[in-house]
Amino acid sequence: MTPANEPSFRESVDMMFNRAVALMDLPPGLEEKIRVCNATYTVRFGVRLRGKIQTFTGYRSVHSEHMEPVKGGIRYSLGVNQDEVEALAALMTYKCSLVEAPFGGSKGGLCINPREYDEQELELITRRFAYELIKRDLIHPAQNVPAPDMGTGEREMAWIADQYKRMNTAELNGNACVTGKPINAGGIQGRTEATGRGVQYALHAFFKDAAGLRKAGMSGTLEGKRVVVQGLGNVGYHAAKFLSEEDGCKITAIIERDGALHDENGIEVEAVHQWIAKHGTIKGYPDAKMEEAGAKLLEADCDILIPAALEGVINLANADNIKAPLIIEAANGPVTAGADEVLRNKGTVIIPDMYANAGGVTVSYFEWVKNLSHIRFGRMQRRQEEARHQLIVDELERISEDPSIKWTLNPNFKDKYLRGAGELELVRSGLDDTMQTAYQSMAAVWHDRDDVDDLRTAAYLVSIGKVSASYRAKGL
Ligand code: NAD
């Protein structure tokens, strides 16, 4: 939560926005039109649980409808409030624009601690909340498409899709009313891991940028880099798992709500994940040192800090003590505007949220397209692609049988080349391309403009430029 003596989350987002638009030449008034949130709907509804009616408060905020549908997750947390959903909806507008997902920005939230309810109760609450939003077209395949966020996952998305279809029985595109669904309910391969996977791809892009690495005072590759991650939920778990298992990073600390695990030799992410699934806490995990004051480890000596839990955790109280030269904002808004300034002055490089965690909405976009086209990616072309590759391999093998030619095919090549791309490969390829292209667009501004000295401002400039172009194209 953002500290009381600092601007609210929404004010923080607006301050960062203002910093960027001051460097732009927008037509009079357009700046305000883009910045303000179009509408926020508040709903209070009752659900009969455990013998009495309990009243819940939920929100759905629409920040910008320059493209429709608008898109953004639904969060379940006691910290949810109007300011927070509006900040998150604004970030969705900028994020979608930056990665060219053709959506406006939206966000929703329910003020609830999901751990206090069993599955059946959560289903009742989710369906009732969805009912309230659906009847006002705040969940709709062409107008407003939610996705998972903190405290929600594919289970809740499946309930929402089913609720929508029950209320719109003749709607052919009903599945496209929400993304992040399980595969057997219209989901897409690779969506659950997508945000964490996107964080990994963002770091790949950063480590290819020699000028960026120099600005962070870093060198080399991801191999052996010491990483501290906060929040081992959907985003943090996948990011830390891929970085340690595939890129050779060492996860030296995992900060959770009830403390932190610390081991300079590296912590096994999968083992901790399974421990949490079984015990509901990191406490008692045997293979790392436990620190009760978990958030203190945000200040640990490391190469890369990944806040992947909630907003406002890096603020004026600890910004000075942050030692990581590189922060990648896997969560939305983890660095307050005040802390951003302190860190910028120190030379810390921050890969901003609107880019770093855009993997989720990117794959959500693919899922939405899949739902509208009613066919799995790769279904039509996979075997045909394999057959064409087989032709080439057969021909190469025929040639290699000629005794005058001294070469043979590497068996690995044959296996890899013959395998046509299925849905997961295509999703990863689309995500990788999106993250690389968006990184290059930000980095070009970061490195080429003298008046831009951080990636966040560069990201805002690229993104607001595109939003403003689409407003102008609409005649506004
Ligand atoms: P999640 O609910 O799956 O995980 C959140 C994790 O953070 C949990 O493990 C929780 O125990 C931990 N946590 C909560 N409070 C904490 C605290 N004070 N200190 C340390 N850990 C704490 O949520 P998620 O989907 O992984 O989302 C995390 C962040 O990523 C949010 O900011 C969200 O908006 C952002 N995000 C998520 C997605 C997505 O696809 N899920 C996409 C883009 C951005």
Side-chain angles (χ1 to χ4, degrees):
M1 245 44 40
T2 310
N5 61 345
E6 286 190 61
S8 72
F9 186 11
R10 190 183 50 74
E11 286 164 347
S12 227
V13 171
D14 285 352
M15 284 162 78
M16 294 167 176
F17 173 93
N18 290 342
R19 243 175 72 78
V21 289
L23 306 174
M24 298 177 83
D25 190 19
L26 294 181
L30 185 56
E31 165 198 333
E32 190 190 356
K33 173 68 208 85
I34 296 176
R35 180 173 41 75
V36 298
C37 196
N38 286 6
T40 301
Y41 170 70
T42 306
V43 60
R44 295 180 188 86
F45 58 89
V47 182
R48 183 177 291 280
L49 298 169
R50 305 172 199 175
K52 75 170 185 113
I53 293 175
Q54 289 193 34
T55 304
F56 297 90
T57 305
Y59 304 88
R60 187 82 185 153
S61 178
V62 176
H63 175 259
S64 174
E65 291 149 292
H66 67 289
M67 287 199 187
E68 283 183 304
V70 293
K71 191 122 193 39
I74 290 185
R75 172 176 290 198
Y76 282 5
S77 150
L78 284 179
V80 163
N81 57 56
Q82 180 168 346
D83 186 279
E84 184 186 73
V85 284
E86 289 188 357
L88 291 164
L91 280 175
M92 281 308 296
T93 297
Y94 310 137
K95 189 180 306 186
C96 291
S97 164
L98 181 66
V99 297
E100 299 189 340
F103 304 124
S106 181
K107 201 81 180 192
L110 191 61
C111 198
I112 182 180
N113 178 357
R115 285 177 305 282
E116 282 178 7
Y117 299 91
D118 65 27
E119 185 164 354
Q120 213 182 352
E121 291 171 330
L122 277 174
E123 180 175 351
L124 279 176
I125 299 163
T126 302
R127 283 186 183 276
R128 186 60 215 276
F129 183 33
Y131 168 82
E132 296 294 334
L133 298 181
I134 292 164
K135 73 180 183 190
R136 290 171 180 86
D137 289 340
L138 288 166
I139 296 178
H140 188 288
Q143 291 186 39
N144 198 324
V145 183
D149 193 72
M150 221 168 111
T152 58
E154 56 178 35
R155 180 184 64 176
E156 286 74 15
M157 301 306 116
W159 292 331
I160 292 173
D162 185 64
Q163 185 65 30
Y164 182 87
K165 288 187 284 185
R166 284 187 191 185
M167 293 167 69
N168 297 274
T169 46
E171 168 62 72
L172 187 60
N173 293 322
N175 266 342
C177 77
V178 65
T179 58
K181 302 176 294 292
I183 291 292
N184 58 12
I188 193 168
Q189 300 279 353
R191 172 60 184 90
T192 307
E193 64 168 49
T195 311
R197 182 66 78 186
V199 170
Q200 179 197 28
Y201 289 166
L203 283 171
H204 289 177
F206 178 78
F207 272 80
K208 278 190 210 149
D209 173 12
L213 277 174
R214 247 193 329 274
K215 286 180 183 173
M218 300 176 89
S219 59
T221 64
L222 279 166
E223 179 79 38
K225 294 283 183 290
R226 293 162 308 148
V227 175
V228 171
V229 60
Q230 183 190 41
L232 207 68
N234 177 311
V235 179
Y237 159 65
H238 286 106
K241 180 180 165 73
F242 300 144
L243 288 168
S244 57
E245 292 178 4
E246 297 172 14
D247 296 309
C249 289
K250 228 196 273 182
I251 309 298
T252 52
I254 294 174
I255 308 168
E256 255 294 328
R257 65 174 79 237
D258 45 4
L261 297 171
H262 188 196
D263 185 349
E264 281 304 308
N265 296 318
I267 304 170
E268 209 191 309
V269 175
E270 190 53 47
V272 178
H273 181 66
Q274 283 174 19
W275 180 272
I276 297 176
K278 190 161 170 206
H279 303 276
T281 169
I282 53 166
K283 286 189 177 150
Y285 179 72
D287 295 326
K289 220 165 70 197
M290 175 78 192
E291 308 274 352
E292 292 291 332
K296 203 68 198 149
L297 277 167
L298 290 168
E299 300 166 23
D301 198 5
C302 66
D303 300 305
I304 305 171
L305 175 58
I306 312 185
L310 65 170
E311 59 266 18
V313 293
I314 300 171
N315 48 54
L316 287 176
N318 61 3
D320 256 334
N321 305 329
I322 301 288
K323 295 181 195 65
L326 177 65
I327 299 175
I328 176 157
E329 296 183 326
N332 282 306
V335 176
T336 63
D340 192 56
E341 191 178 344
V342 173
L343 291 163
R344 240 183 300 123
N345 292 339
K346 277 206 317 188
T348 310
V349 169
I350 301 177
I351 303 180
D353 45 10
M354 80 170 78
Y355 166 69
N357 66 37
V361 75
T362 301
V363 177
S364 275
Y365 167 39
F366 302 154
E367 179 178 334
W368 181 71
V369 171
K370 173 184 179 180
N371 293 153
L372 295 179
S373 57
H374 299 268
I375 188 164
R376 156 167 62 80
F377 287 109
R379 181 165 177 179
M380 301 294 279
Q381 63 272 45
R382 184 175 187 169
R383 301 297 165 209
Q384 193 259 0
E385 193 186 318
E386 287 179 0
R388 287 166 67 92
H389 287 185
Q390 185 70 52
L391 274 178
I392 296 183
V393 167
D394 289 350
E395 188 59 11
L396 287 173
E397 284 183 334
R398 192 187 61 74
I399 298 168
S400 71
E401 276 160 17
D402 179 341
S404 67
I405 298 173
K406 300 243 174 304
W407 55 267
T408 50
L409 286 179
N410 181 331
N412 274 348
F413 161 80
K414 208 171 135 177
D415 278 355
K416 282 189 185 163
Y417 190 67
L418 282 179
R419 203 177 325 125
E423 187 168 80
L424 185 60
E425 289 80 15
L426 292 169
V427 163
R428 286 189 183 156
S429 150
L431 176 60
D432 197 6
D433 180 60
T434 302
M435 296 308 288
Q436 284 196 45
T437 309
Y439 184 85
Q440 281 152 13
S441 65
M442 287 187 312
V445 175
W446 185 30
H447 299 321
D448 296 350
R449 278 183 67 156
D450 293 337
D451 54 354
V452 174
D453 57 8
D454 65 318
L455 266 173
R456 190 189 311 279
T457 307
Y460 270 104
L461 286 174
V462 174
S463 146
I464 298 167
K466 290 183 185 164
V467 176
S468 100
S470 82
Y471 269 119
R472 270 186 272 183
K474 284 178 126 186
L476 240 185

